[in-house]
Amino acid sequence: SVRKAFLLTEPATNPPRATLVIAAWNASATIDGAVQSALAQTIPIEVIVVDDASTDDTAARVAAHTDAAPHHLTLLRQDTNQGPAAARNRAIDESRAPWIAVLDADDLMAPDRLERLITQAETVGLDFLADDIEKVDQSDPDGPRTRLWSDTPIGTLPIDATLFVQSNIPDGRGERREMGFLKPVMRRAFLDEHALRYSETIRLGEDYDLYARALILGARFQLVDPRGYLALVRPNSLSGQHPTSAHADLMTADRHMLAMPQTLPATKAALRAHLLEQHKKWAWRSLIDAVRERRFGAALRCFIAPVPVVINLKARLAADIWQRLTQKMRSR
């Protein structure tokens, strides 16, 4: 379109309305699509890609796009791999737009997504506005889509800290349906006013931590129906693989939020429940690690935990033993 061509070829005489942040690590297979969909936005934007010390040609692929959009695309490179939180923080610090948005290096978005979200957020006076993400198989991007949060239309849903934390506690709907996976537009002034940035000690769940802290500090946050964020579902994605320490990091984040003076009692109850679920996951993963490494003392110490954690450990251990025995009997 004429409008898209203007955005890609004309000098950035109009200040960008949004900065679109892409943290990339060994994303050679997907980065072209992400950058192209970012540059196709229908409002003046700046796109900042931070290459997190990739060992493939991710940076070279991004650099190739700067020739077509020199006024709208910036490539930054990390000397060492520091994780997505550090990469995003660097981009935010380098940005100059009043709104910040994040696009994962293996996802896409519709051309008018940011325009629709920012217009609505400014009209209502929000600090954060997220749209429900649509998921689609990477092998068929035009195929059937499933929504992250709600299977039915929601209109506009106000989000507070308690609801947000509760939404990140397993509820039987399946994995990867938590609000922590959302990608809202974020008002830069709110982030700066409260000195809010991603926690660089967290390598998985950094979004959950940032949004929860913002809500505790009073961020006006809403969720609306899909506006065009498309998550391409693929096997072996980074978010599907994480070390045991990831759960310990989230436990630390929950404890920090519990200590914040602005945290209301209802939110504290939700945080304690979320902390307990992370403790269960951490204890189980720690037990597996210890047994695999023949650190039997460490394995026993996993049972020095709150009663719900111990009960969960025993139940999972019993189920694992039963499964192994069943498989052994079937193989005879």
Side-chain angles (χ1 to χ4, degrees), residues 127-166:
D127 301 304
F128 288 66
L129 178 60
D131 56 334
D132 203 356
I133 289 174
E134 292 183 300
K135 299 183 290 183
V136 64
D137 192 281
Q138 64 162 341
S139 62
D140 186 16
D142 297 320
R145 300 180 180 184
T146 59
R147 290 173 53 156
L148 171 79
W149 170 247
S150 174
D151 295 321
T152 57
I154 58 173
T156 299
L157 178 66
I159 306 297
D160 63 15
T162 302
L163 173 60
F164 178 79
V165 175
Q166 289 173 338

Side-chain angles (χ1 to χ4, degrees), residues 109-114 116-117 120 129-134 155-156 224-230:
M109 66 170 61
D112 62 347
R113 176 178 180 261
L114 292 185
R116 295 174 69 188
L117 287 175
Q120 181 172 346
L129 178 60
D131 56 334
D132 203 356
I133 289 174
E134 292 183 300
T156 299
V224 295
D225 289 307
R227 297 290 188 267
Y229 192 104
L230 195 61

